Amino acid sequence: MISTDRRELYVDGCSAVQLAEEYGTPLLVLSEDHIRSRCRELRDTFLSRYPETRAAYAAKAFLCLELCRILEEEGLCLDVVSGGELYTALQAGFPPERIEMNGNNKSPEEIRMAVEHGVGRIILDGADELDLVEQVCRELNKKANVLIRISPGVDSHTHQFITTGNLDSKFGIPLAPSIFAGVFRRILSSQYVNLLGFHYHIGSQLHDNESHLKATGILLDLIRELKTSYGYRTAEINIGGGFGIRYTDEDDEKPYEYFLDPVMEMIRQAFNEMELPMPAVVIEPGRSIVGNAGVTLYRVGTVKEIPGVRRYVSVDGGMTDNIRPALYDAQYECSLANRDPRLPGAPQATASETAPAPELVTICGKCCESGDILIRDTLLPAPRRGDLLAVYSTGAYCASMASNYNRLPFLPVVMTRGGRHRLVVRRQTYQDLISRDL
Ligand code: LLP
């Protein structure tokens, strides 16, 4: 929860200026109050309203031990896509039966780890993955609960790099009968896996429910056909994540109900008609839980004026802690946390008694890469060396996509809650940087 006393920025009642002094910059501040309130919204609008529903937080958006503990407490499940995410969850003591494993190319070792620890679901993403799961289950004498991830052939309206449900996609099993029917029959007859149902995920940062509705329609047609042809009764449907958030005024953020109510109604009607009991329905929100909880604090360094061209304001992080502007042309809002703390969504800077008149500036990082631009053309009141820049909505897909380019250390993460703060991920040290070098 971000607030201001018009001189300084506060996150959950903690002064951004003090946080930066105590923990250094760049720093990712994550509002635990915000994360918990998003979990509450999910409970109020979906989990408590519909029986047999679960929300598996998509760990790829951001993960650390402390977040696992919070999500566990909030009653969420976890969607992991790698051995590393699974390891983190297990180390945090997250109940394995509440973990689901996704991923388009799970290694035999990752599958073994998942089966050994008894994760709740493995989402099969390709025909040959069944062989791997069967082999591991045979060796361990276990049976795994699985879902089939289908590729519904739906184009979602978002950046091309983050659509996942269209036909030309590396994710999921295409519904072409020549492919799907064979996999389905093999799974049904396998003694090592228990097929609970189906999964789709169509894309991320969506503001329109059209793709979810289309994909649900396609999935329900499939479920009908499998009931007619094989007498198969689907017990679980997972509709992935993708619920968009507000980064700038361009984004029309919708409440969870906008996506989920019509999907639930479609499923209810279809299962009613098929005379089947309502299946369990699972969602996998990532960005919508943590995205707006994050604020990255940077210290302003060099300011360069190129007359008639542009004023570059450099900060002490950049594409290493937020690759999204370079990769997706993602847009962010910012303000000066120490003297012009505009809140996200507030009008751009105006001259005030505390701040000089706003100037058009471009915020760039410190990487040796011309594309290391965080925000192009934003109004700030004459930023100068030493100012503290806050970039908003950096909770999702920033720290989790970080790199050590130019051997810049990963930034630390501080969580805030009700006026208190604590370090949950420490800053990487130079020693850490060489710790794997032989
Ligand atoms: N479930 C599956 C199977 C997924 O592939 C994803 C995201 C999610 C759930 C969570 O989606 P969300 O609710 O966070 O939209 N790096 C990109 C986003 C990639 C998302 C990939 N899959 C970005 O920074 O925008």
Side-chain angles (χ1 to χ4, degrees), residues 46-55 264 278-283:
F46 181 61
L47 301 171
S48 317
R49 275 185 57 215
Y50 300 103
E52 295 293 311
T53 47
R54 303 196 305 277
M264 291 307 282
M278 186 69 183
V281 178
V282 185
I283 58 170

Side-chain angles (χ1 to χ4, degrees), residues 107-338:
S107 70
E109 294 75 22
E110 286 171 326
I111 291 175
R112 171 173 282 271
M113 193 172 164
V115 174
E116 232 165 25
H117 287 93
V119 307
R121 311 278 185 277
I122 296 178
I123 321 288
L124 295 177
D125 203 287
D128 63 340
E129 219 169 75
L130 176 63
D131 302 329
L132 296 178
V133 174
E134 281 194 307
Q135 195 181 334
V136 168
C137 287
R138 197 177 304 121
E139 282 166 30
L140 297 174
N141 195 24
K142 288 200 173 194
K143 195 164 181 171
N145 284 328
V146 300
L147 277 82
I148 298 177
R149 175 165 179 175
I150 63 159
S151 172
V154 168
D155 242 333
S156 54
H157 305 294
T158 187
H159 193 286
Q160 186 200 338
F161 290 2
I162 51 177
T163 65
T164 45
N166 47 332
L167 190 59
D168 183 1
S169 165
K170 68 172 182 163
F171 298 103
I173 298 178
L175 293 179
S178 57
I179 302 173
F180 187 84
V183 185
F184 177 73
R185 278 201 292 266
R186 273 177 53 215
I187 294 180
L188 266 197
S189 61
S190 169
Q191 63 184 108
Y192 295 107
V193 299
N194 175 30
L195 179 65
L196 293 176
F198 304 96
H199 173 290
Y200 72 72
H201 171 80
I202 35 178
S204 199
Q205 181 60 357
L206 305 176
H207 295 304
D208 192 317
N209 61 16
E210 189 192 323
S211 306
H212 278 95
L213 297 183
K214 267 195 204 153
T216 304
I218 290 166
L219 178 55
L220 289 171
D221 287 345
L222 175 74
I223 288 172
R224 265 187 221 102
E225 190 193 313
L226 296 176
K227 178 166 181 280
T228 311
S229 310
Y230 301 90
Y232 178 73
R233 299 158 75 92
T234 298
E236 189 163 314
I237 292 178
N238 184 323
I239 65 162
F243 318 113
I245 62 165
R246 183 195 178 283
Y247 287 93
T248 68
D249 284 340
E250 303 285 292
D251 298 312
D252 179 18
E253 178 173 337
K254 305 283 198 334
Y256 284 119
E257 309 92 285
Y258 164 78
F259 291 96
L260 299 175
D261 283 352
V263 168
M264 291 307 282
E265 182 51 24
M266 278 178 86
I267 297 176
R268 193 194 60 76
Q269 268 186 25
F271 274 67
N272 228 357
E273 281 161 22
M274 287 185 280
E275 296 182 351
L276 287 180
M278 186 69 183
V281 178
V282 185
I283 58 170
E284 296 173 336
R287 188 191 317 266
S288 60
I289 302 286
V290 294
N292 282 327
V295 181
T296 306
L297 300 177
Y298 300 99
R299 193 65 69 184
V300 171
T302 297
V303 177
K304 273 184 202 164
E305 172 80 28
I306 307 174
V309 179
R310 187 176 294 285
R311 176 174 289 222
Y312 282 100
V313 173
S314 314
V315 295
D316 54 359
M319 66 192 298
T320 41
D321 57 78
N322 186 357
I323 188 73
R324 299 192 71 257
L327 194 54
Y328 315 119
D329 199 20
Q331 309 292 313
Y332 286 88
E333 285 181 352
C334 67
S335 74
L336 292 183
N338 57 321

